[in-house]
Each structure stands twice: as structure tokens, then as C-alpha cells.
Amino acid sequence: MPAEGKAAAPPRDRTWFILGMGFVLVSLLVAALLYLLWQEEELNVIYGRRGGVGAASVNGTAVLAGLFEQAGHRVVSVPRLTSAVTHRSDCIVWVPDSFDAPGEDSLQSIEAWLRQEPGRTFVYVGRDYDAAAPYWRAVLPAAPAAAQPLIQEQITSAEERWTKLRSWWPSESECAWFRLDYSRPPRSVDSLEGDPRWLEGVDASGLDLERTARLTPAAPRSHHPSPDVLLASEGDVLVARLWRGEGQVLCVVHGGFLLNLPLVNLEHRKLAGRLVDEIGPPGKTVVFLESESLTVADYPHTASPFAIFHTWPINWILLHLAVAGILFCFCRLPIFGRPRGLPPAAPSDFGKHIDALAELLARTGDHQHAMTRWLHFRQAREEKSLRPRPAVPELSATEPAEPSPGTRTPSRKICR
């Protein structure tokens, strides 16, 4: 039983648990900081993302989204398709990080969405492009001589990584919209043909574009018109349009002129502007789908208090605040070690008597009475200071002072 007046010591298991949780949280925070620092040093190659860390990626879509905004459209990003998202969207842009063509169920969902209202557009951008190696090739000529071997290593590493990534996927992929052939060797795009509106003002010699995969639009069905080839190069289709009712599907072979790094090129921006013009006049709602699936959820979207955790940069700010709050709670609330009682109040502290008297006077609420008592105290103190003190007889160093009557003289013990 603990002694009275003392708090019981916390269980040893609880103390070790708190220490362990604090160590884990600190370790996670340090790991996150190191990861962010490492990300700053490495080239950002996250593919097909408009927001978050993917916005600064050479393979991101933030610049393309900016072109839609400059054209007067409203642009949003969603992690998945829901019935509410598809209901309010006029154009969906999908840049998947996959070489596989969409599945049949996904295509039927998108075609049903296109037929619901006229003038809707779905943009599909193929995966057969990576901007890492072109970035390092562009950096190499302006780099100092000492850094060029390192940049050449980065070029080789990026090319090997890209070759390995493409080897994991089959040589071709097919769906009801198109067929992609990855078996042909890449070649540079030196000439363009197709829709005159796409070719107007574009200098093909200024392009820095390669034809990698071969895009072949599917043969038209009985109730579908023939596809339109909007942009091609020496017979290889780069952009094709498929009609589905009064809606359209724009199939782009890859993001070689739509991603962040390629859009540094002026001629690429002109081609991207032609793609933006295809969705119609300003005022449309353009949705960038950042998901690997086209499946539309069959439940209605309801407002959720947790939706803010999916919005950049609020989600990262709240995450850091939550971690800081948890660390503050662990530092502030627990008692580590054996508890100790507070020192008792000293009864000889005259200041406490003054405080107690002041509190009593304050409780009366009578200001005049309190001032009267204070003036009385000052007057008594001044009279005491003016009163003459009695003379004290001086004692010689050799004569002991006589004890006053009634004073007990201490006895002395003689040790023998």
C-alpha cells in the first residue's frame, strides 16, 4: 500500500510502452525528413500526377493542367471516379502509369458517360514515354566538364531503367478502342500530317519527339463512325479521335508532348494547345484522374469530413501538425519515473500571512475599511520607528555578564 500523501508509482509496463511509442514516432519523423531530403537530391520521375510531389516531376501533368486553366476551364484532380465526379465533369483526362489498354468494363462505363450528355470528351494518354533520359541529355551540354561523367551515368541509368520497365509488359495490348504495338523500334518524328488545324503554325523540325509504340484505332462498328486521325507522322498515328454518340475519345500514343518536361518545347506546347481546343469553348470542368482504374463507383458521393486529408497541401500540413501534437502530448502528459510529492508550505513564511490577510480584506469588498487598516498599520509602524530605544550597558571583554533574575545558568561538566 502506498503511504498517505504520496501518489502511487505508475506501472512499469505503461512507462516502457510510452517510451517505446515516443521512440517510434521520433524515428518515423526522422525517416520522413530523410526521405524528403533524399527526394530533393534525386530527379523526380513520378508519372502522371498533377498535384502533390508529382507536380514537380518531369513526368507530371501540372503544366498540361495549367494550359486547360489558361483556356478558361476549371481543372480538378481526383484519386478515383465516382458517380458525382462523372456527373459534373465535361472532360476526363487519364494518364495511367500502365502499358495495358483499358479493360472492357471500364470502356463501357466511359462510353455510357459520354452518351449521357453531348459535348463530353475523354482523353487517354499512353504510357510509352519517360522524360528522365531526355532531361539528362538536355542538361549535359551546359554542364561543367567535371560533372559530365556523372550526368552520363545518369543517362545510362535512366535508359536501362526504362528498357527494363518496358520489358516487363507484353509486346502489344488491345482493347475496343485501339491497339498498341510496342515491338517496333523507336524513331524520331521529323514530319507531321493530319488535321490542318493541328498542323497550323507547328514547325515539325523543332520537335523533340519520338515515335515509340504504334497506335492503331479499332475498326469502326456498325453504329460508330470511322475514327479521325488528328495527328500522324509517316503513317504512324500520334493522336486519334473516336466518336461515341455526341461525345469523343481522344487517344494519344504517349505523353511525349503533354508532360511537364516536353512542354518546355514551344512546338510541343502548340500541339498541347490543339488538344485543349478539342474539348470546346471555355467554361468546361476538366477532371484529371490520378488512378490506374477507370471503374466508376456506383454509390453517390457524400461529403466526408476526411476529404480534406486528400487535398494537397492541406493533407501534409495536417499530418505534420498531428505528429507534432502527438509528440507534445507524450512530452507533456506522462510522468516518467517514480512520482515525488511537492514540498510542504513553510508555516514560518511571513509573506503568506500577508497574502492571507489581503485575501480576507478582499472578500469583504469594503475598500474604505481596507484602506483604514492599511493607514493604521503605517501609522503604528512610524510611531514605533520614532520611539527611543533603551540604552544597552556595554560589557567588558573580561567581565562576564550577570544573568538576569529567573535565568537558568547552564551547568558545566568537567571531564576528567
Side-chain angles (χ1 to χ4, degrees):
M1 295 291 294
E4 295 183 1
K6 294 184 178 180
R12 186 177 299 273
D13 294 342
R14 178 171 175 268
T15 302
W16 283 109
F17 172 76
I18 294 173
L19 290 174
M21 288 297 296
F23 176 77
V24 170
L25 290 174
V26 172
S27 301
L28 291 176
L29 183 60
V30 172
L33 292 175
L34 292 177
Y35 174 76
L36 291 176
L37 292 175
W38 177 78
Q39 286 287 348
E40 291 295 331
E41 296 177 358
E42 296 290 331
L43 179 64
N44 192 338
V45 294
I46 297 176
Y47 188 84
R49 293 293 183 265
R50 170 180 173 246
V53 294
S57 170
V58 292
N59 290 322
T61 57
V63 180
L64 177 62
L67 294 179
F68 279 101
E69 291 176 341
Q70 291 177 9
H73 304 293
R74 176 176 176 266
V75 181
V76 295
S77 300
V78 295
R80 64 184 182 278
L81 287 180
T82 63
S83 56
V85 171
T86 56
H87 178 72
R88 68 172 185 264
S89 57
D90 301 304
C91 174
I92 299 177
V93 180
W94 190 38
V95 189
D97 190 9
S98 173
F99 289 83
D100 278 339
E104 188 65 26
D105 295 339
S106 300
L107 298 187
Q108 292 179 1
S109 300
I110 296 300
E111 290 184 0
W113 168 75
L114 290 172
R115 292 189 179 93
Q116 287 175 359
E117 289 187 12
R120 286 180 168 176
T121 304
F122 181 83
V123 179
Y124 169 83
V125 181
R127 176 64 180 93
D128 200 20
Y129 177 79
D130 188 81
Y135 170 82
W136 292 115
R137 293 195 198 99
V139 171
L140 183 62
Q148 289 188 0
L150 298 177
I151 296 176
Q152 190 63 48
E153 292 180 3
Q154 294 288 347
I155 295 175
T156 304
S157 176
E159 291 176 345
E160 292 177 353
R161 183 183 62 84
W162 176 239
T163 302
K164 184 178 181 180
L165 180 63
R166 292 186 83 243
S167 66
W168 290 346
W169 299 91
S171 59
E172 64 180 28
S173 183
E174 188 174 2
C175 66
W177 289 351
F178 53 80
R179 178 175 168 276
L180 289 170
D181 183 6
Y182 301 110
S183 61
R184 301 181 62 184
R187 68 169 180 83
S188 298
V189 175
D190 300 322
S191 61
L192 295 175
E193 61 261 9
D195 192 323
R197 294 185 296 109
W198 278 69
L199 302 177
E200 183 180 359
V202 179
D203 182 10
S205 62
L207 296 173
D208 186 13
L209 191 62
E210 283 189 349
R211 195 277 299 146
T212 50
R214 184 172 188 177
L215 174 67
T216 305
R221 301 176 184 176
S222 57
H223 55 284
H224 291 157
S226 300
D228 300 332
V229 177
L230 301 179
L231 190 66
S233 174
E234 299 180 12
D236 294 327
V237 178
L238 301 179
V239 183
R241 174 167 53 201
L242 311 176
W243 294 101
R244 293 296 182 267
E246 296 186 23
Q248 60 179 347
V249 179
L250 301 179
C251 301
V252 184
V253 64
H254 58 66
F257 63 92
L258 296 177
L259 301 180
N260 287 346
L261 178 67
L263 284 175
V264 175
N265 187 302
L266 176 60
E267 307 304 322
H268 293 180
R269 290 200 300 274
K270 294 179 182 178
L271 294 178
R274 305 297 187 271
L275 178 70
V276 173
D277 294 339
E278 290 293 337
I279 74 171
K284 300 292 184 68
T285 299
V286 181
V287 174
F288 275 71
L289 175 61
E290 299 183 350
S291 171
E292 302 308 318
S293 173
L294 280 177
T295 304
V296 180
D298 56 358
Y299 56 87
H301 178 73
T302 57
S304 172
F306 301 101
I308 193 173
F309 293 100
H310 299 284
T311 304
W312 172 266
I314 301 299
N315 50 358
W316 280 92
I317 295 175
L318 292 179
L319 176 62
H320 285 78
L321 289 178
V323 173
I326 292 173
L327 292 177
F328 174 78
C329 291
F330 274 101
C331 295
R332 181 68 177 174
L333 298 181
I335 300 175
F336 296 101
R338 188 177 298 277
R340 295 177 297 175
L342 295 176
S348 60
D349 189 356
F350 187 73
K352 294 185 178 295
H353 296 280
I354 297 177
D355 294 339
L357 179 60
E359 290 180 2
L360 291 175
L361 293 174
R363 289 181 183 179
T364 62
D366 190 348
H367 179 74
Q368 185 65 29
H369 174 68
M371 291 300 299
T372 302
R373 301 306 302 170
W374 166 246
L375 293 175
H376 177 72
F377 169 75
R378 289 188 59 184
Q379 183 179 0
R381 186 175 180 182
E382 291 176 358
E383 291 178 357
K384 185 178 179 180
S385 63
L386 296 176
R387 187 181 306 167
R389 296 182 181 180
V392 180
E394 296 182 358
L395 300 178
S396 61
T398 58
E399 296 180 357
E402 294 183 357
S404 60
T407 303
R408 188 176 180 180
T409 304
S411 59
R412 297 182 180 178
K413 295 182 180 180
I414 300 175
C415 299
R416 297 181 179 178

